[in-house]
Amino acid sequence: MKKSTIILLPLAFLLVSCSTNGSDEETETTDVPQATDNTEILAENLEIPWAIEKDNDTFYMTEREGTIVQLTDGNLNRQQVVLDEPVSTASEAGLLGFVLAPDFSETNEAYAYYTYENEEEQFNRIVRLHLDDGQWQEVEVLIDQIPSGPYHHGGRLKIGPDDMLYATTGDAADPEIAQDLDSLGGKILRLNFDGSIPEDNPFQNSYVYSYGHRNSQGITWTEDGEMYASEHGDNANDEVNLIEAGENYGWPQIEGEEGQEDMVTPLFTSGEDETWAPAGVTYTDEKLYVAALRGSAVLAVDLVSNEVQTVTSDFGRIRDTYIEGDDLYFITNNLDGRGSGSEDDDQLIKMNLSE
């Protein structure tokens, strides 16, 4: 199995490690966000936004309480989402991942990942949505009963260069399920757009693409098709991994710099004394741009020099990133109960990377 020994250098701005008794997203008070010379605030008063998508000049952003914000030419429209199950209000839960269908302009369809509760248990599911007259409707369940606990829901959805749908799932605060190939928790899943299992998945009749993940919340690909994922560590030891089909990324047997036979050591780790709580990831020009919640920053991971730099630490908790040309877009999560911010939070912010 492939292993890597590259370890990043400590970053001075990062906060001390998180408690093992609570969520790895918990953070200290952050300063009020302020625009800088190369940034522009595109939207304010968002309600715990989680994912960014863009279609031509229109942004779509999920909000955890169960709405989708449409932003066109500065005009913000909060769209209702009619789901078959009520969105859960558990910690870190709600309407999370979201990705527009490749043929969205013709079909008005998208895919979403959300947490719900029934009379007995709490689960996550992946669904297909349809937009009609300004309202989204759940029209098909693709995968149901993904494990969900008090926290660690995973939740990121992305379409890969192979035209497959990928989803990250958390260990639902039950670490052992990350090693259980019969469980969908603690995994990266791969599925067809109709919810069926791709024939070339690494495990027969299984959605599982990779396993041994604690709580991955970001995935992206390079132009060469290499896949990378961010992952929350336990008591620091946050990770950026190079993802390969069928590989075991170690949780809970190993984390951080640790290694074990047939388990993959992360490409980058924050180490034992620092915490990022990394979320959304996007890629351009040999760099990964990683949203950091507890780190309160956007990090640039240089895949050539193996260095990590702070792109910005002026806006507090960052949940997701999106790249288009020379422009980096990111959303804050200062009012999700884990940080603090101004009355205008949360925000969508644009940063020009060429300046």
Side-chain angles (χ1 to χ4, degrees), residues 51 53 62 68 81 83 95-104 107-114 125-131 136-143 155-159 163-167 191-195:
E53 274 286 273
T62 53
I68 292 176
V81 184
L83 300 170
L95 180 57
L96 305 177
F98 178 78
V99 62
L100 299 173
D103 56 356
F104 173 72
T107 64
N108 275 4
E109 290 188 345
Y111 302 92
Y113 183 113
Y114 74 94
R125 60 166 39 168
I126 300 170
V127 301
R128 182 166 57 89
L129 302 177
H130 183 262
L131 177 63
W136 295 89
Q137 174 81 46
E138 178 180 332
V139 294
E140 183 181 13
V141 178
L142 304 186
I143 302 181
R156 189 64 60 191
L157 284 182
K158 292 289 182 180
I159 296 172
D163 291 325
M164 296 289 177
L165 189 60
Y166 290 78
L191 59 150
N192 294 309
F193 291 124
D194 63 0

Side-chain angles (χ1 to χ4, degrees), residues 43-354:
E44 300 176 325
N45 300 305
L46 303 178
E47 298 175 0
I48 319 178
W50 212 89
I52 308 171
E53 274 286 273
K54 193 169 186 284
D55 176 55
N56 295 318
D57 295 328
T58 299
F59 288 92
Y60 294 91
M61 294 166 283
T62 53
E63 295 179 314
R64 266 179 40 194
E65 293 184 356
T67 49
I68 292 176
V69 170
Q70 179 192 59
L71 180 70
T72 306
D73 296 329
N75 296 314
L76 189 150
N77 177 30
R78 183 162 282 111
Q79 300 173 324
Q80 297 303 307
V81 184
V82 180
L83 300 170
D84 291 350
E85 299 285 352
V87 171
S88 172
T89 58
S91 178
E92 302 177 13
L95 180 57
L96 305 177
F98 178 78
V99 62
L100 299 173
D103 56 356
F104 173 72
S105 59
E106 289 82 33
T107 64
N108 275 4
E109 290 188 345
Y111 302 92
Y113 183 113
Y114 74 94
T115 316
Y116 69 93
E117 300 176 45
N118 58 29
E119 295 179 355
E120 299 178 355
E121 296 184 74
Q122 178 177 296
F123 296 104
N124 296 295
R125 60 166 39 168
I126 300 170
V127 301
R128 182 166 57 89
L129 302 177
H130 183 262
L131 177 63
D132 184 30
D133 196 24
Q135 179 174 277
W136 295 89
Q137 174 81 46
E138 178 180 332
V139 294
E140 183 181 13
V141 178
L142 304 186
I143 302 181
D144 203 355
Q145 297 192 354
I146 297 169
S148 176
Y151 37 76
H152 297 180
H153 311 288
R156 189 64 60 191
L157 284 182
K158 292 289 182 180
I159 296 172
D162 55 0
D163 291 325
M164 296 289 177
L165 189 60
Y166 290 78
T168 69
T169 70
D171 69 4
D174 182 6
E176 296 306 321
I177 70 173
Q179 290 293 317
D180 181 1
L181 287 173
D182 291 327
S183 171
L184 295 178
K187 310 294 191 298
I188 293 177
L189 310 180
R190 180 175 182 257
L191 59 150
N192 294 309
F193 291 124
D194 63 0
S196 61
I197 298 171
E199 293 182 357
D200 59 346
N201 268 11
F203 304 102
Q204 187 174 10
N205 298 320
S206 174
Y207 290 110
V208 174
Y209 188 76
S210 63
Y211 65 110
H213 299 289
R214 183 172 181 266
N215 190 26
S216 179
Q217 291 189 6
I219 45 180
T220 193
W221 289 263
T222 69
E223 65 271 354
D224 296 328
E226 288 189 328
M227 182 180 179
Y228 292 87
S230 65
E231 184 167 339
H232 291 202
D234 179 29
N235 197 22
N237 289 310
D238 295 316
E239 300 178 0
V240 173
N241 286 291
L242 173 62
I243 302 298
E244 296 183 335
E247 294 284 18
N248 181 355
Y249 289 82
W251 176 253
Q253 271 67 45
I254 63 170
E255 62 174 334
E257 302 176 19
E258 297 173 344
Q260 188 169 313
E261 186 177 0
D262 296 334
M263 295 183 181
V264 181
T265 300
L267 193 64
F268 296 91
T269 175
S270 65
E272 296 181 353
D273 300 321
E274 297 163 348
T275 301
W276 301 334
V281 181
T282 191
Y283 167 86
T284 190
D285 194 25
E286 304 293 343
K287 293 180 180 178
L288 305 174
Y289 289 86
V290 183
L293 291 158
R294 195 150 187 239
S296 298
V298 176
L299 308 177
V301 179
D302 193 314
L303 299 175
V304 177
S305 68
N306 299 321
E307 296 177 339
V308 177
Q309 297 178 331
T310 305
V311 177
T312 180
S313 57
D314 296 320
F315 296 93
R317 295 166 56 80
I318 311 300
R319 173 65 69 176
D320 196 17
T321 57
Y322 183 95
I323 287 277
E324 188 174 67
D326 291 329
D327 294 323
L328 169 70
Y329 301 90
F330 54 93
I331 46 177
T332 67
N333 264 195
N334 291 316
L335 300 183
D336 65 353
R338 302 265 169 74
S340 63
S342 71
E343 62 181 9
D344 297 327
D345 269 329
D346 279 312
Q347 301 175 335
L348 169 67
I349 298 156
K350 174 183 175 181
M351 171 179 283
N352 189 282
L353 297 175
S354 65

